[in-house]
Amino acid sequence: MSASHADGVRPSYAVVLRVPHARRTFAAALVGRLSYGIVPLSLMLAVTRSSGSYPVAGTVMALFGATVVFLSPARAALIDRYGPRRALVPMAAACTTVLGLLAAAVSRPDAVSALSLGALAAVAGACAPPLGPTMRAVWGRLTPDRALLRRAYSLDGVAEELLFVTGPLLVGVLVGFAPPAAGIVVGAALMAGGTAGFVSSPAVRDVRPEKAAGRRGGGGLRGLGRPVVAIAGVGLALGVIDLLVVAFAERHTAGTGAGGAGAAWVLAALSAGSAVGGLLNGAVAWRTPAGARLPLLTAGLGLTLCGAGLAPGLGTLAVAVAAAGFFVSPAITTAYLIADETAAPEARVRAGAWVNTAVNAGSTAGTAVAGALAARLPVGVCFAVTGAVVLATATAVTAMRRRGTSEPVPLA
């Protein structure tokens, strides 16, 4: 029983932040994670300005994004094996160094080849410290009570979403008086400072690698099939929504030039709905286990997306998308909880990284699929098709839970 329950204190967000060392550790992790909201846009703008080529900028960003996302489990494996302090510091040092080289390279137009820019971006992404999965593993140590841990994960998820909204806004302010390369430097500084503060926290400083018990298969990752499949579906939906909202706004504001502003408001409604849903999910004392909630939340997302396909205008689409967002953060938080519950102690960072990779990979695939669909079908039909796919994912996850046949994720 946690201290909060033993003392008769109901778990809450305030209680989470009063856990010893929680505020310091969380704040440092957020500072470092803010760099992930700043660096990508800054890099895209800087490469575009330096090369004068959108294809070059797109290729550089694809290489950066691919190594960040798909090598995340491998970097998390190093943290599980060597501990946060021994693994995160070299990663952050290497990443910030390469980001500095990138900033210098894009500051000199035509001085560096596109191939060199792509190679530097790929290396920077490969070294990016996975502060999100590591912080969630630390939450598991700080808050062993499951109700309190759910609130901690909800708070973490909402804060992370706000960082990805705040980061591009800060870049927009920065490029008003400085070149885009300055954003890369700022992002690197945030990464270095946040990582240093994180690993120096007592909650992280004394963490030692867990030794494998030798009793589990799948490298300690058995049971991750359900959360990974479900969250890949959620990520797919997010990637589709981003593009379809833009297409919907352009088609409904043709000739007015208001498509961009309309799309921005609808996507803001998505983020707002997700934040509200995440906070409520953490505040509710759920009696239903996480394994049963996950397919229900995924199905809720699918149903609301089907409803979004019936929206006649931007206002109703914003309401429908906000309702869809209401299920996004709770689903992701629940997937992280299941990953933490099923993973062996020596694989907790990897478990969180696999969930994180699933949502990002799903989002990337969703954007590609949405582009193909939107060119051939009405936007409303595209929303309905996406909702149907997410519902099918929820059905598959339910079947996996009933059979108890979640396969282990391969060892990274």
Side-chain angles (χ1 to χ4, degrees):
M1 182 177 293
S2 72
S4 62
H5 281 182
D7 296 339
V9 179
R10 182 180 178 181
S12 67
Y13 292 114
V15 172
V16 169
L17 294 176
R18 286 200 297 267
V19 171
H21 312 304
R23 279 178 292 186
R24 172 183 172 178
T25 310
F26 187 37
L30 290 179
V31 168
R33 290 153 79 179
L34 179 57
S35 64
Y36 301 132
I38 290 177
V39 168
L41 180 56
S42 298
L43 181 59
M44 184 191 306
L45 294 174
V47 174
T48 302
R49 179 178 294 186
S50 173
S51 65
S53 169
Y54 287 110
V56 169
T59 301
V60 169
M61 291 308 301
L63 290 169
F64 178 75
T67 52
V68 167
V69 172
F70 294 108
L71 293 182
S72 177
R75 297 192 299 273
L78 294 175
I79 296 169
D80 281 326
R81 182 172 183 177
Y82 297 106
R85 192 180 183 90
R86 292 175 61 190
L88 284 175
V89 172
M91 288 182 200
C95 188
T96 53
T97 298
V98 178
L99 287 176
L101 293 174
L102 266 172
V106 296
S107 297
R108 297 177 296 164
D110 302 324
V112 179
S113 68
L115 182 62
S116 297
L117 289 177
L120 287 171
V123 173
C127 299
L131 291 171
T134 309
M135 181 67 227
R136 281 182 281 270
V138 172
W139 278 127
R141 295 186 179 95
L142 289 174
T143 56
D145 177 77
R146 302 309 295 179
L148 200 60
L149 179 59
R150 178 161 45 82
R151 284 160 176 77
Y153 276 8
S154 295
L155 181 64
D156 189 284
V158 171
E160 185 171 69
E161 185 157 349
L162 292 176
L163 290 181
F164 281 99
V165 173
T166 304
L169 293 176
L170 293 176
V171 173
V173 173
L174 186 62
V175 297
F177 59 87
I184 302 175
V185 175
V186 170
L190 289 170
M191 181 183 294
T195 303
F198 182 71
V199 299
S200 65
S201 166
V204 179
R205 187 177 58 219
D206 300 328
V207 172
R208 296 292 180 267
E210 298 276 359
K211 293 183 178 180
R215 297 188 301 269
R216 302 177 62 125
L221 295 173
R222 186 174 297 277
L224 273 186
R226 284 182 289 123
V228 165
V229 169
I231 294 309
V234 173
L236 179 80
L238 292 174
V240 170
I241 289 171
D242 284 348
L243 192 144
L244 291 186
V245 165
V246 173
F248 187 98
E250 288 181 349
R251 293 177 187 181
H252 282 73
T253 59
T256 67
W265 279 107
V266 175
L267 292 175
L270 174 69
S271 296
S274 181
V276 171
L279 291 173
L280 288 177
N281 176 68
V284 172
W286 293 103
R287 296 183 181 274
T288 308
R293 293 199 308 273
L294 182 60
L296 293 176
L297 292 166
T298 307
L301 174 61
L303 288 172
T304 52
L305 286 177
C306 290
L310 302 175
L314 280 173
T316 50
L317 181 65
V319 173
V321 167
F326 189 80
F327 295 98
V328 170
S329 186
I332 294 174
T333 297
T334 303
Y336 281 126
L337 281 170
I338 296 173
D340 184 77
E341 290 172 354
T342 58
E346 71 275 8
R348 280 178 173 164
V349 180
R350 270 176 295 165
W354 273 109
V355 174
N356 196 55
T357 296
V359 70
N360 285 310
S363 179
T364 300
T367 301
V369 170
L373 288 177
R376 294 170 174 80
L377 298 172
V379 175
V381 175
C382 294
F383 272 115
V385 169
T386 304
V389 171
V390 176
L391 283 171
T393 300
T395 302
V397 172
T398 300
M400 292 169 70
R401 181 172 184 264
R402 288 175 177 172
R403 291 197 307 267
T405 57
S406 294
E407 294 299 327
V409 176
L411 181 62

